[in-house]
């Protein structure tokens, strides 16, 4: 697996005593939209020519999209411009302001099925790149005018998760002994596996109205506290008492 630890830039904070680990999904969680879907806007009327084939999987589908972008002469600058149209979810800027204030007590990790380049572009745009300790996602690098994406890993062990990523495995790799609580903030079906593996002292924060929230309502395997949110202010109100 390619793990982009500090791939989003060197964290400016020395974490002296990590008390809380916050794991974020990216699409529909930090950002109010799906980067993989949004990027299709650069193809204009040609975007309808790219159809998703579930047989090849999502990462291979994105390879096709990036090939089409290259074929039609889409530039890196055009892709950046389209990505920057995505906004932070409601209250997310305030949540990262709180994280900045208490950063010495918090480790922040992103676990996402997007890709390194999309995430780096938007973390820079939102000016929160320095707050992220690790990014676990599909590597993507530019080769000429083609953005080349590869799977984060080959997942052959976990049947809950897609073939390219098990977020429970990521969660296990970033936990440390001095972390007394985990907040897992996500929205999608691929966030269910790590939430099921959280302990009773931990908190899952599914975005209200999204797939993870619906799955948790019917799951009998969840041990942690579940806190639904529409606005990240709800998460702030839960987080701050543990830090002050």
């Amino acid at each position: 697996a390619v793990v982009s630890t500090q791939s989003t830039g060197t964290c400016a904070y020395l974490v002296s005593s990590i008390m809380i680990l916050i794991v974020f999904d990216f699409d529909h969680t930090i950002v109010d939209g799906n980067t993989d879907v949004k990027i299709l806007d650069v193809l204009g009327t040609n975007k309808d020519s790219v159809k998703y084939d579930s047989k090849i999987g999502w990462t291979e589908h994105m390879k096709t999209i990036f090939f089409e972008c290259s074929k039609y002469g889409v530039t890196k600058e055009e892709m950046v411009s389209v990505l920057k149209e995505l906004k932070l979810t409601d209250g997310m800027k305030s949540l990262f302001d709180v994280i900045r204030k208490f950063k010495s007590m918090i480790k922040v990790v992103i676990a996402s099925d997007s890709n390194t380049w999309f995430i780096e572009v938007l973390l820079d745009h939102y000016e929160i790149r320095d707050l992220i300790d690790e990014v676990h996602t599909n590597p993507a690098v530019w080769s000429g005018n083609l953005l080349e994406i590869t799977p984060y890993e080959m997942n052959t062990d976990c049947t809950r998760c897609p073939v390219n990523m098990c977020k429970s495995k990521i969660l296990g790799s970033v936990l440390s002994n001095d972390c007394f609580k985990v907040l897992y903030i996500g929205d999608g079906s691929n966030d269910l596996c790590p939430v099921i593996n959280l302990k009773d002292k931990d908190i899952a924060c599914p975005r209200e109205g999204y797939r993870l929230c619906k799955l948790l309502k019917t799951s009998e395997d969840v041990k942690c506290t579940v806190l639904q949110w529409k606005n990240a202010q709800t998460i702030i109100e839960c987080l701050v008492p543990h830090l002050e």
Side-chain angles (χ1 to χ4, degrees):
V2 178
V3 179
S4 38
T5 306
Q6 297 295 356
S7 71
T8 55
T10 302
C11 184
Y13 300 89
L14 178 63
V15 180
S16 57
S17 178
I18 299 170
M19 296 176 63
I20 293 181
L21 169 65
I22 304 180
V23 182
F24 286 94
D25 180 34
F26 194 74
D27 292 333
H28 293 299
T29 299
I30 292 177
V31 59
D32 195 15
N34 186 316
T35 49
D36 287 346
V37 174
K38 180 62 179 176
I39 206 64
L40 288 171
D41 288 353
V42 298
L43 290 171
T45 56
N46 296 310
K47 68 180 180 181
D48 293 334
S49 65
V50 184
K51 304 295 183 184
Y52 176 57
D53 181 357
S54 59
K55 295 177 183 176
I56 67 170
W58 190 257
T59 308
E60 290 298 318
H61 173 64
M62 293 310 299
K63 283 185 181 180
T64 302
I65 289 173
F66 296 149
F67 178 79
E68 291 296 302
C69 289
S70 178
K71 183 174 76 173
Y72 287 109
V74 174
T75 66
K76 182 189 296 188
E77 291 72 24
E78 288 171 328
M79 293 175 79
V80 168
S81 180
V82 163
L83 288 171
K84 285 182 177 180
E85 292 175 6
L86 291 166
K87 308 298 183 185
L88 290 169
T89 52
D90 290 342
M92 194 57 62
K93 182 183 183 303
S94 296
L95 176 55
F96 276 100
D97 287 343
V98 170
I99 289 171
R100 186 176 297 280
K101 180 180 178 181
F102 294 100
K103 186 63 183 73
S104 64
M105 301 164 66
I106 301 171
K107 180 176 180 178
V108 182
V109 173
I110 292 174
S112 167
D113 203 8
S114 180
N115 67 72
T116 52
W117 187 72
F118 283 2
I119 292 174
E120 287 170 6
V121 166
L122 289 175
L123 291 179
D124 282 340
H125 176 55
Y126 303 138
E127 299 181 341
I128 55 174
R129 185 169 175 171
D130 62 314
L131 298 176
I132 311 302
D133 297 291
E134 297 182 26
V135 174
H136 294 255
T137 188
N138 303 298
V141 295
W142 283 93
S143 177
N145 68 336
L146 175 65
L147 184 60
E148 296 184 338
I149 186 172
T150 52
Y152 173 78
E153 66 172 349
M154 296 308 296
N155 169 34
T156 57
D157 302 321
C158 179
T159 56
R160 287 197 191 99
C161 293
V163 295
N164 65 305
M165 179 178 291
C166 173
K167 291 190 178 184
S168 281
K169 190 182 295 184
I170 293 171
L171 178 61
S173 74
V174 300
L175 272 172
S176 55
N177 291 333
D178 53 356
C179 175
F180 86 91
K181 188 179 292 292
V182 177
L183 264 69
Y184 190 100
I185 307 171
D187 72 281
S189 57
N190 65 346
D191 295 308
L192 178 63
C193 184
V195 168
I196 286 175
N197 284 291
L198 293 177
K199 298 178 180 178
D200 55 4
K201 63 184 176 64
D202 300 326
I203 304 171
C205 303
R207 190 176 179 190
E208 192 170 329
Y210 285 76
R211 182 65 176 158
L212 177 61
C213 199
K214 296 172 184 175
L215 290 171
L216 290 177
K217 288 178 180 178
T218 58
S219 175
E220 298 179 355
D221 301 321
V222 178
K223 300 178 286 292
C224 65
T225 299
V226 175
L227 176 70
Q228 299 179 29
W229 62 281
K230 284 185 178 179
N231 187 306
Q233 183 63 39
T234 303
I235 302 171
I236 294 172
E237 292 168 2
C238 170
L239 174 63
V240 169
H242 296 291
L243 298 168
E244 291 183 329

